[in-house]
Amino acid sequence: MNEERNCSDGSEHETTSFQESDKEDAKEKSCPKIVDENKSRSFIAELRCNDVTRFNALLSFCVAFAFSMLGWRSGQNGPAFLDLIRISGTDLERGSVYRSVFFAGNILGSIFGGVFYSKVNKYLMLMVSFTTNTLLLALIPWCFHYESMLTVHAFHGICNGVMSVVLSAIAVAIWGATARGRVYLNIFYASFSAAGLISPVITSPFLLATLTDVPVHVTLRNSSNIAGSEFKKDDLINELNMSSANYNIYSNSTRNDTPTSNIFIAYSISAGLSLISTVPFIILYFKAPVKNGEGSFDKKSKFIQDHLPLTLKVLQVVNIGIFSMLYMSLNFTLGGYLATFCVQHMRWTKASGAWLTSVLFLAMLGGRIGGAYLSLFFKPLKMLVLSTVLHAAGLVGLSLSGILTFDVGIWVSVCVIGIALSLMWPSLTSWTNENLLPVRGRMVTYLMLTGFLGALLSPLLFGYMMEEISTIWFCFLSLAKAVGTIINVILMFVYTQYLRRKRTRSEL
């Protein structure tokens, strides 16, 4: 009886379901005693005696697994890019339009997600977008024409935009602006990195081989034989002719095998995983339909800290939008072009480029796991300062390693960059949610729109500079954007200090 009473008392303030989490977040400031009691309770004890906590924990897992499918596709995109270009019969510059069209679709999908977030059942939106995404993934490797590849990437981007907005908004709303919410956000984004780590490894065996993957050896006699009478000019001519014939046979076979590339197997695996991630939302839609309580909250939401000037808050919203634009363009461009840079500039094999992409996502996974722990002790702004400086340092190392063609430097720099990237986005989301605006449907849509806009423009710029000038511009352009993120964080720091002084004065 006492245990039941404790469960009942401890869950009194948590008996609202997920759809009412926004209202609970708003009540936290007015009920500090209840919040303190809630923090002191063991999470395991809540799972035992609180149905809502169990549901939120299950929902957290389903949302994180679904979001990991976006990471899986992102990790697969880089290693498979050269194969998709070859399948559709185009070059790097024109093939970069695939990504621009994909991110244009993301922008459109983000708008759809933001508009319908408060009007349509979220599980239905996820069910439809994931099902459509599954079909599109299965179609991509069979698009042998340039126009068909563009079309599929455009619709794939629309689905990706809807999923990104809805999943991110749900992830923030499940636990609210609390320490538990900050930890979960890092775990949520860590799922993206975990899937991005595995997918290049799964994709690598199905890639088309390059000349560097199948080396052609020309065995010549050593210098002592050349000096001797045994060396014959006809032997050298015959060996060179044989190697040339082998090269032509390999080139012709590769060209003829392009339409039947095994890359379709990798995309079939991706489609199957995408379908599996759809199942929980189908069940939730029919078994546990939600009420759209977040929509009314979004309409009433105002800037946090009303004593600050409106102009300053609007400028800060613009600032985080620019940060989102730079971050997304850096994140997707790095994952998408890293393998291409290594193959074309560093003369690596495609398999090595795929492994490096996996290392990037491994570093991001490690960084987000570490970030989930560090977020308990450090405020989001400190995490942003650390990550942006570390990211710029990693890109300096990548640029120098590219100029000097230093392979080990490439591996080390990518690890540093991955750890830094992993900390930036969860910290930005937490900082915005705590200091500026509640990160719900409309705010998530704004961040996604600005972010995907940067990701849309980057492939055009990167593709042109890498194709027409030099592939080393992949490093230079990334470094320039990293400097931009540092400027954004400096402005956030100034805003936070001004906010703190204003808060202190108002309390006096």
Side-chain angles (χ1 to χ4, degrees), residues 415-433:
C415 290
V416 174
I417 293 169
I419 293 173
L421 280 174
S422 67
L423 301 175
M424 292 168 71
W425 190 257
S427 301
L428 173 69
T429 305
S430 297
W431 183 88
T432 304
N433 199 43

Side-chain angles (χ1 to χ4, degrees), residues 62-71 130 164 167-168 188-189 191-192:
C62 295
V63 169
F65 179 73
F67 193 69
S68 70
M69 292 300 98
L70 305 185
F130 266 103
S164 297
L167 290 174
S168 298
F188 173 72
Y189 290 113
S191 66
F192 184 98

Side-chain angles (χ1 to χ4, degrees), residues 460-481:
L460 298 175
L461 178 61
F462 275 72
Y464 174 79
M465 299 297 285
M466 293 173 67
E467 182 75 22
E468 301 296 333
I469 301 180
S470 173
T471 48
I472 194 62
W473 275 90
F474 165 76
C475 302
F476 297 158
L477 292 173
S478 298
L479 182 59
K481 292 180 178 180

Side-chain angles (χ1 to χ4, degrees), residues 67-81 99 102-103 106 133 137 156 160 164 191-200 203 267 270 327-328 330-339 354 357-358 360-361 364 368 421 452 455:
F67 193 69
S68 70
M69 292 300 98
L70 305 185
W72 180 282
R73 179 66 186 95
S74 179
Q76 185 181 59
N77 186 49
F81 183 50
R99 289 181 179 162
F102 171 75
F103 290 118
N106 272 272
N133 184 64
L137 283 173
H156 180 46
N160 193 86
S164 297
S191 66
F192 184 98
S193 303
L197 162 67
I198 300 172
S199 62
T203 304
Y267 274 88
S270 301
Y327 171 82
M328 287 283 198
L330 282 167
N331 190 21
F332 287 105
T333 301
L334 185 66
Y337 283 94
L338 183 60
T357 304
S358 288
L360 170 66
F361 282 95
M364 294 178 69
R368 279 173 175 157
L421 280 174
F452 287 133

Side-chain angles (χ1 to χ4, degrees), residues 336-358:
Y337 283 94
L338 183 60
T340 302
F341 167 75
C342 292
V343 171
Q344 295 191 351
H345 183 80
M346 303 296 292
R347 303 303 179 189
W348 291 10
T349 63
K350 285 184 179 180
S352 297
W355 277 102
L356 183 62
T357 304
S358 288

Side-chain angles (χ1 to χ4, degrees), residues 16 24 47 96 180 203 266 400 462 473 508:
T16 58
E24 289 298 305
L47 288 176
S96 297
R180 184 180 293 175
T203 304
L400 293 176
F462 275 72
W473 275 90
L508 293 178

Side-chain angles (χ1 to χ4, degrees), residues 74-121:
S74 179
Q76 185 181 59
N77 186 49
F81 183 50
L82 291 176
D83 279 37
L84 296 182
I85 289 176
R86 193 176 181 91
I87 287 173
S88 56
T90 188
D91 57 18
L92 177 61
E93 185 175 356
R94 295 185 73 224
S96 297
V97 181
Y98 296 156
R99 289 181 179 162
S100 294
V101 168
F102 171 75
F103 290 118
N106 272 272
I107 292 175
L108 188 58
S110 298
I111 295 174
F112 288 158
V115 170
F116 294 106
Y117 181 79
S118 59
K119 300 176 181 178
V120 179
N121 187 291

